[in-house]
Every structure is written in C-alpha cells, then in structure tokens.
Amino acid sequence: MAETPWQHAHPRRTEVNARLNHQDRRIHNEVKSGEISKGQAATLHKEDRQIRREEHAMARQDGGHITKLDQRALNQQENGVSAQIGK
C-alpha cells in the first residue's frame, strides 16, 4: 500500500490524537462520577476539539504529518486541558 500525503498514522500525530482520545474518556468518567458538571465537560470538550482542529491544520501544512515543534505546542495545550480535568 502506497504512502499518501495525508498520513493519519504518523507517529507524532498518533501520539497527539491518542492523548486527545484519553482526555475525552477522562472527561466522560469525571462527569459520570459527578466530579465535574456537564457544563464543565462541554468546555473541556470544546478545548479538545480546538486542539484537534489545530493538529489537522498543522498536518495539512506539513504534508500530512506534524513536526516535533508542532507536537510540543499541541502537548502543551493538552497539558493545560488535562490539568483542568478532575479539579
């Protein structure tokens, strides 16, 4: 199978998206356990969607992958959302 310019499985993209998926599960679990409200969860989900959109835009600019600098910036944003989960 030939590589396409849009590499969904690029290692850095995979790591960033795996973190976003994990945070999504954490948010759902926090709502389920009553630790955060649905409104707080909606805000956190909105922030995660923005990070995911930014990841897609970065990948479009770099031929289907993200650079190490892009990954670092996205991880810093994810760290900010992660810190808000379960406060």
Side-chain angles (χ1 to χ4, degrees):
M1 186 172 186
E3 282 285 324
T4 63
W6 190 255
Q7 300 175 21
H8 288 285
H10 187 275
R12 285 188 288 270
R13 291 192 72 196
T14 300
E15 187 269 338
V16 168
N17 287 314
R19 281 196 68 192
L20 287 168
N21 291 335
H22 178 72
Q23 285 186 177
D24 185 56
R25 287 189 305 274
R26 285 180 57 210
I27 293 167
H28 284 290
N29 288 337
E30 296 289 316
V31 170
K32 196 174 188 179
S33 69
E35 293 187 44
I36 63 174
S37 70
K38 288 183 180 184
Q40 290 168 312
T43 300
L44 294 170
H45 283 302
K46 182 178 179 182
E47 291 178 35
D48 273 351
R49 280 192 305 276
Q50 178 57 40
I51 295 168
R52 194 174 301 271
R53 280 192 296 274
E54 188 171 347
E55 184 269 336
H56 280 274
M58 289 173 169
R60 269 194 302 277
Q61 291 176 345
D62 293 315
H65 68 278
I66 59 173
T67 66
K68 288 182 182 181
L69 186 60
D70 293 341
Q71 181 185 22
R72 188 174 306 124
L74 293 166
N75 278 332
Q76 288 176 342
Q77 292 177 43
E78 290 174 337
N79 290 344
V81 174
S82 182
Q84 296 175 62
I85 301 172
K87 274 191 155 185

